[in-house]
Amino acid sequence: MHASTVRSLLVRGMLAGLIAGLFAFAVAYAVGEPPVNGAIAVEEATAAEEAPAAHGAHAGHGGGAAAAEPAEEEGISRSAQSTFGLATGVLVYGVALGGIASLAFSFVLGRVGRFSPRATAALTAAAAFTTVYLVPFLKYPATPPAVGNPDTIGQRTTLFFLMILLSVLLGIGAVIAGRRLAPRLGNWNATLAAGAGFVAVTAIAFAVLPDNTDAVAAGFPAALLWEFRIASLAIQVVLWAVFGIVFGVLAQKTLAARTAASDTEGRVAAPVAG
């Protein structure tokens, strides 16, 4: 594929990611913010219950009333976090992933079967959603902020990104295996075999990698945790679905225009060469 075409697809992928980010932000604000607010309320209630006990213990050891510590000032208000902050994060995330997915689309177009650009965009979005989010989510589900043990956040983040890297590598390996098996088994059987291999190796990875035993504090409401995880999953589904649809349309138009321009140049050049 020509470099200018790849560049055009990259720009359109980022645009599609921006549009998908707008839809994802709407879902995040509507269904994601309520469980986050609930988690913050649980955290504040727990802190309020623990404060008198801690104050009493401090006073007992000190032999008198302890001076109250000044309250921490909030750097950014909660309303700003849930609107401008959330929008900025989701939109930047959408643009970045849209650009990366468009480069992946440029690489696989015509190499994984005779699919149209629109179908290839849908397959690319589905594969990206599965490997980048769904598989890591099944092993290390999302948790609301300030719920887990803050001392293990580094370890939990490392495990999550390790699972993303492993899932992406296994996905690439499944595609390569499917292409090599296709001449012997046929496209359909090769796809099934590669998919089964991906699931089997992923299951082994799930069994080998450690679990997040302290990701959720004891006593945290299970219903609220479930609501947050479903909202997190819904945001990603909307993001990748909208991206696949929008980028498919843009890529189809771009490549059709490039093909038409190339055909026109060829017809013009043929009489001159003759």
Side-chain angles (χ1 to χ4, degrees):
M1 187 177 293
H2 198 274
S4 61
T5 304
V6 175
R7 186 165 53 250
S8 298
L9 291 173
L10 174 62
V11 172
R12 283 156 180 78
M14 295 172 69
L15 175 60
L18 178 64
I19 296 172
L22 291 172
F23 281 85
F25 165 69
V27 176
Y29 185 78
V31 303
E33 282 301 307
V36 171
N37 292 331
I40 293 174
V42 170
E43 181 193 16
E44 291 175 348
T46 303
E49 292 175 359
E50 294 175 352
H55 178 73
H58 183 72
H61 288 297
E69 294 183 1
E72 258 185 61
E73 292 186 4
E74 188 177 11
I76 302 176
S77 67
R78 178 66 191 134
S79 60
Q81 291 176 1
S82 62
T83 52
F84 297 109
L86 178 63
T88 301
V90 174
L91 293 179
V92 171
Y93 179 79
V95 171
L97 289 186
I100 296 172
S102 67
L103 295 178
F105 167 88
S106 301
F107 178 77
V108 303
L109 182 64
R111 291 186 171 93
V112 294
R114 296 181 178 179
F115 298 106
S116 68
R118 190 174 299 178
T120 304
L123 291 173
T124 301
F129 166 76
T130 301
T131 56
V132 175
Y133 182 79
L134 182 60
V135 170
F137 175 84
L138 294 176
K139 176 62 178 176
Y140 302 116
T143 55
V147 170
N149 184 354
D151 296 333
T152 63
I153 188 171
Q155 177 188 0
R156 286 184 278 136
T157 303
T158 300
L159 289 174
F160 183 74
F161 280 103
L162 177 62
M163 192 66 240
I164 292 177
L165 177 61
L166 183 60
S167 176
V168 171
L169 292 177
L170 291 177
I172 295 174
V175 172
I176 294 174
R179 289 189 61 197
R180 293 185 175 180
L181 292 173
R184 286 185 296 166
L185 303 180
N187 290 332
W188 178 253
N189 292 331
T191 301
L192 291 179
F198 174 79
V199 172
V201 178
T202 300
I204 295 174
F206 277 22
V208 171
L209 291 174
D211 295 328
N212 277 341
T213 55
D214 58 351
V216 181
F220 188 82
L224 185 59
L225 178 63
W226 179 253
E227 183 183 353
F228 176 84
R229 288 177 174 173
I230 291 298
S232 176
L233 183 61
I235 293 167
Q236 293 291 328
V237 169
V238 169
L239 177 72
W240 286 109
V242 173
F243 171 80
I245 294 171
V246 174
F247 180 67
V249 173
L250 296 177
Q252 186 87 23
K253 291 182 178 179
T254 300
L255 294 174
R258 297 271 175 172
T259 302
S262 298
D263 292 344
T264 302
E265 290 176 1
R267 285 195 299 268
V268 171
V272 175

